[in-house]
Amino acid sequence: APSSVRISHSQNVPVADDSEEQFAITEQVLAQALRERQFTVFYQPKLCCTTGHLVGLECLARWQHPTQGMLFPDRFIPLAEGSGLIAQLTEQIFVQALEWFAAHCHGQNLQIALNLSAKTLSSPEFPDWVAQQCTRLGVAPQQVVLEVTETSSMENPVATLQILTQFRIKGFSLSIDDFGIGYSSLIQLARLPFSELKIDKMFVISAPYSEESQKIVSAVISLGRALNLSVTAEGVEDAWTLQYLKDAGCDYAQGFLFSRPVDGEAFLAWKHSREPT
Ligand code: C2E
Ligand code: CA
Ligand code: CA
Ligand code: CA
């Protein structure tokens, strides 16, 4: 889908009729939203498939637009990537998420996962910046997972290897996101210093209805084990899928079965409600 959308005829007026006209997101609109700090972070739990214990959370960007309501990353991440605003957006998301994590999950055995954009994979000063933020907040790099999509890690393999190695040396964990849809060379992937593989949710969501998806899920789990990677399935929406994943040897799961991504307060309430009393 195109990232930048159709031109609205009425820039400042929310569309009130039932036409499908969408709010036009331009670079200027995005830049202003960054200045006004309209971006926030939602959190989704990650659980151990076998014990059901909470092991961490993934941070997902949301845009709280004053008139449009909440906008999802598919509406603004591709445009930010294409316009040079992604660095600023990444910075705001990382700082908010790490500050929240330091304030509310300190001293707990949890990991925080953040999504890296393709652009930051060619920014040599980025690993230092992330490490500085962690030091400032007292978050150990061992608690931080950086998720890189299979596709973006292949865009510029040389620079990517350099940046990912920097993160690894500093003690961060790295995860291959959306695995299975990128057609990348397995040997190239295996050479990158990842410690986790995330099966793309497309295969996981369709597993209950598609034998083909089930086979792909099982094969990816086996591949992950063979490469010594832990395996996370995202998009776990029902109990059947969770059982299937357990039986196939998957390590971790994320999905609406447990919780949608929610704001910090709702995440803490969800977490609290599951703690033994
Ligand atoms: P992703 O990293 O693959 O994140 C998982 C997406 O799957 C999230 O969509 C999440 O809400 C959704 N999801 C989780 N569990 C389920 C489920 O059980 N069923 C279904 N149908 N969906 C589920 P979201 O939040 O809309 O994010 C979309 C994508 O935007 C992310 O995909 C990620 O690639 C990107 N993104 C999000 N936040 C950031 C960010 O801070 N920086 C960058 N660079 N990209 C981000
Ligand atoms: Ca992700
Ligand atoms: Ca993913
Ligand atoms: Ca995705």
Side-chain angles (χ1 to χ4, degrees):
S3 51
S4 69
V5 203
R6 302 142 52 184
I7 307 299
S8 169
H9 303 296
S10 46
Q11 289 277 340
N12 302 309
V13 186
V15 182
D17 61 32
D18 58 5
S19 79
E20 284 181 18
E21 190 168 16
Q22 277 199 326
F23 160 66
I25 301 170
T26 60
E27 213 177 308
Q28 289 88 324
V29 170
L30 210 56
Q32 189 185 350
L34 281 163
R35 282 194 300 275
E36 294 178 4
R37 312 228 155 230
Q38 291 171 3
F39 295 93
T40 79
V41 187
F42 273 30
Y43 304 93
Q44 187 180 39
K46 174 172 163 181
L47 292 87
C48 174
C49 283
T50 45
T51 65
H53 290 160
L54 180 69
V55 297
L57 48 98
E58 179 175 1
C59 304
L60 295 153
R62 297 288 182 265
W63 182 355
Q64 303 283 7
H65 191 279
T67 59
Q68 300 294 317
M70 191 171 78
L71 302 175
F72 286 78
D74 293 352
R75 294 280 303 279
F76 57 86
I77 296 278
L79 181 62
E81 288 257 17
S83 68
L85 293 169
I86 191 68
Q88 222 184 317
L89 180 59
T90 301
E91 205 174 297
Q92 288 193 13
I93 296 297
F94 272 49
V95 167
Q96 274 187 60
L98 288 166
E99 283 179 350
W100 176 85
F101 185 75
H104 298 286
C105 302
H106 186 79
Q108 300 173 34
N109 196 12
L110 293 175
Q111 283 197 316
I112 175 173
L114 292 151
N115 291 287
L116 279 194
S117 84
K119 275 281 161 56
T120 47
L121 288 173
S122 52
S123 161
E125 62 283 0
F126 191 59
D128 278 331
W129 180 82
V130 178
Q132 278 161 22
Q133 295 305 314
C134 288
T135 306
R136 171 175 78 84
L137 295 163
V139 174
Q142 286 71 20
Q143 288 181 282
V144 181
V145 183
L146 300 166
E147 300 191 359
V148 180
T149 64
E150 185 192 351
T151 324
S152 57
S153 70
M154 290 300 131
E155 268 177 30
N156 187 349
V158 178
T160 297
L161 176 61
Q162 236 161 7
I163 304 257
L164 295 186
T165 304
Q166 280 304 310
F167 276 121
R168 207 63 179 135
I169 289 169
K170 293 174 192 297
F172 295 96
S173 295
L174 299 167
S175 173
I176 318 169
D177 205 352
D178 297 353
F179 185 80
I181 59 169
Y183 312 102
S184 48
S185 140
L186 287 176
I187 193 70
Q188 252 181 317
L189 262 190
R191 282 176 187 151
L192 292 172
F194 289 109
S195 52
E196 180 192 66
L197 183 162
K198 285 186 101 168
I199 311 172
D200 191 78
K201 64 177 180 292
M202 184 175 92
F203 304 113
V204 180
I205 290 169
S206 56
Y209 324 101
S210 157
E211 218 171 299
E212 193 181 40
S213 295
Q214 291 165 28
K215 287 178 184 160
I216 292 172
V217 167
S218 298
V220 172
I221 293 168
S222 305
L223 177 69
R225 313 219 121 216
L227 294 177
N228 238 327
L229 301 169
S230 69
V231 180
T232 297
E234 60 180 19
V236 181
E237 294 188 347
D238 55 69
W240 185 91
T241 304
L242 180 61
Q243 188 61 49
Y244 184 86
L245 291 165
K246 260 192 226 179
D247 293 343
C250 186
D251 301 298
Y252 305 110
Q254 254 179 267
F256 296 174
L257 174 63
F258 312 109
S259 170
R260 286 174 183 263
V262 291
D263 66 29
E265 203 178 325
F267 180 88
L268 295 173
W270 175 88
K271 181 167 164 287
H272 186 69
S273 74
R274 302 176 77 253
E275 275 156 9
T277 43

